[in-house]
Amino acid sequence: MKNKSDLVIKIIIVVLIAVFLGLSFLSIQSTNKKALEMANRGTGQGGANPNMAGANSKQDAKALANTISVSVKTMEPETIQSTIKVTGDISSTSQINIYPDTSGKITKILKNIGETVSKGEVIAYVDPSKPGSAFAVSPVTATISGSLIDLPVNIGDTVNNSTTIATIGSLTDLKITTNVAEKYSAYLKAGLPSYITITSSPEKFPAKTTKISPVVNKASRTIQIELKFDKYNKLFKPGMFATVDLVIQEAKNSFVIPKKAIKNFNNKSTVFIVDENNQAQRVEITTGISNDLDIAVTSGLEKGMKVITAGSVTEGSNVKIVGSK
């Protein structure tokens, strides 16, 4: 019995060893087959050198490493405005100064700046009495209805009939008065648009030119112009300081690019565009009117072209677009 048991055990061990060796052989065959298939896919043909797949991967990695990230602006027709910056003052369009009928001292002021007055209403009193004479007061009355936008006197001030006691005008019907250098005189005309900023707000408010002086100031060599807001805003107050961006030229249906996109090449203005292969190509351009940041391109570009606005490239550089406008 013992001999039979030993024989059965030996047979089982031999069978297990045979099974193990068979499975190992099949596994090696499967691995080799997969490796060959991968090599064939990498080269595109069965008999090619399997090392080509690795070479191509290295080339792709090198190309990716040399790719430059850029921002672009796609060319579409738009409007560009050329402006000049001047400063001016906001005042009431219709205002009038009020004067006393006699000389004397201010004894009483009945109104404050910003208050509304009616025609004939008393604003202040003046005492015209002289030493030794009877006391008498003379009223200073409003000659029109409106709001008090200035009150330059105080009680006790000595005034005469040419002293401004008050200024009456509108708080809502306002204008901006400014002076423009005579070199821009050829551009000045009624209706010119402009954008007004005041110190109390970052917003730009539209306005239009309404009056242009026919003469040049000899001392300053400037021309005085007046502008009116397109729409009243409660932020506006007479006496405010204003900064004016006055539009002197305008070009519609133009290709507009940032000035920083222009590169000088052989004394010519050029830009780089992104071609269909995602490479940078240099294009020669001609330019037109400009403002502080942008410039119009009059030739050299076409609709849909992607002009590189940020990114240091050279002719033929591989690029990747990461920002656009």
Side-chain angles (χ1 to χ4, degrees):
M1 291 295 292
K2 182 177 180 182
N3 291 336
K4 289 183 178 180
S5 298
D6 292 341
L7 181 61
V8 170
I9 292 171
K10 289 179 179 179
I11 292 172
I12 292 172
I13 291 173
V14 170
V15 170
L16 290 174
I17 291 172
V19 170
F20 176 77
L21 291 174
L23 291 174
S24 298
F25 177 77
L26 291 175
S27 176
I28 292 171
Q29 289 291 94
S30 177
T31 302
N32 289 337
K33 184 178 180 181
K34 289 181 179 179
L36 181 60
E37 289 176 350
M38 290 178 65
N40 289 338
R41 284 198 298 268
T43 60
Q45 50 187 347
N49 184 357
N51 292 329
M52 289 295 294
N56 289 338
S57 297
K58 290 180 180 179
Q59 291 177 355
D60 292 342
K62 184 177 180 181
L64 185 61
N66 292 330
T67 298
I68 300 171
S69 299
V70 299
S71 294
V72 301
K73 181 177 181 182
T74 303
M75 292 297 94
E76 295 291 342
E78 58 183 290
T79 297
I80 181 173
Q81 294 177 328
S82 177
T83 63
I84 57 172
K85 193 179 293 291
V86 292
T87 57
D89 298 300
I90 299 175
S91 60
S92 178
T93 300
S94 54
Q95 64 182 44
I96 188 170
N97 293 331
I98 307 300
Y99 303 98
D101 293 329
T102 185
S103 299
K105 286 188 178 182
I106 301 290
T107 59
K108 185 179 292 186
I109 298 175
L110 305 180
K111 295 290 184 178
N112 296 308
I113 291 178
E115 291 187 28
T116 300
V117 295
S118 300
K119 182 178 180 180
E121 190 173 359
V122 176
I123 298 172
Y125 287 101
V126 175
D127 175 17
S129 304
K130 295 181 181 180
S133 64
F135 174 78
V137 292
S138 173
V140 180
T141 59
T143 56
I144 61 170
S145 298
S147 299
L148 276 176
I149 60 176
D150 194 17
L151 199 62
V153 294
N154 298 294
I155 294 175
D157 288 351
T158 299
V159 299
N160 55 49
N161 53 14
S162 64
T163 303
T164 300
I165 303 299
T167 301
I168 299 174
S170 172
L171 294 177
T172 58
D173 186 13
L174 303 174
K175 65 181 180 181
I176 307 100
T177 304
T178 186
N179 296 290
V180 178
E182 66 174 311
K183 67 180 179 179
Y184 299 114
S185 59
Y187 301 111
L188 298 180
K189 60 182 179 180
L192 277 181
S194 60
Y195 304 94
I196 313 298
T197 52
I198 55 178
T199 54
S200 60
S201 173
E203 186 178 353
K204 289 192 173 184
F205 304 96
K208 285 186 173 61
T209 304
T210 54
K211 289 183 181 180
I212 302 168
S213 173
V215 298
V216 175
N217 184 301
K218 289 183 179 181
S220 62
R221 292 298 173 187
T222 59
I223 300 171
Q224 188 177 85
I225 66 171
E226 290 183 4
L227 309 99
K228 288 197 69 174
F229 291 103
D230 288 2
K231 184 179 179 182
Y232 170 72
N233 189 298
K234 63 181 180 180
L235 293 174
F236 309 148
K237 300 183 187 304
M240 274 187 166
F241 175 83
T243 301
V244 181
D245 288 311
L246 181 67
V247 177
I248 57 173
Q249 286 180 293
E250 184 177 77
K252 298 180 179 179
N253 297 317
S254 299
F255 295 133
V256 180
I257 62 173
K259 286 181 176 179
K260 65 181 181 180
I262 298 178
K263 312 297 180 185
N264 186 282
F265 183 74
N266 290 336
N267 294 322
K268 295 180 180 179
S269 294
T270 65
V271 295
F272 284 102
I273 65 168
V274 179
D275 67 11
E276 64 276 7
N277 298 317
N278 284 329
Q279 291 184 330
Q281 297 296 331
R282 183 183 284 108
V283 175
E284 184 179 331
I285 61 170
T286 56
T287 57
I289 70 171
S290 65
N291 53 35
D292 290 343
L293 299 176
D294 299 322
I295 190 167
V297 177
T298 55
S299 69
L301 298 179
E302 297 178 4
K303 183 178 180 180
M305 282 184 171
K306 293 179 172 60
V307 175
I308 295 176
T309 58
S312 181
V313 298
T314 57
E315 182 81 11
S317 295
N318 293 317
V319 299
K320 179 181 179 182
I321 299 173
V322 295
S324 62
K325 179 179 179 182

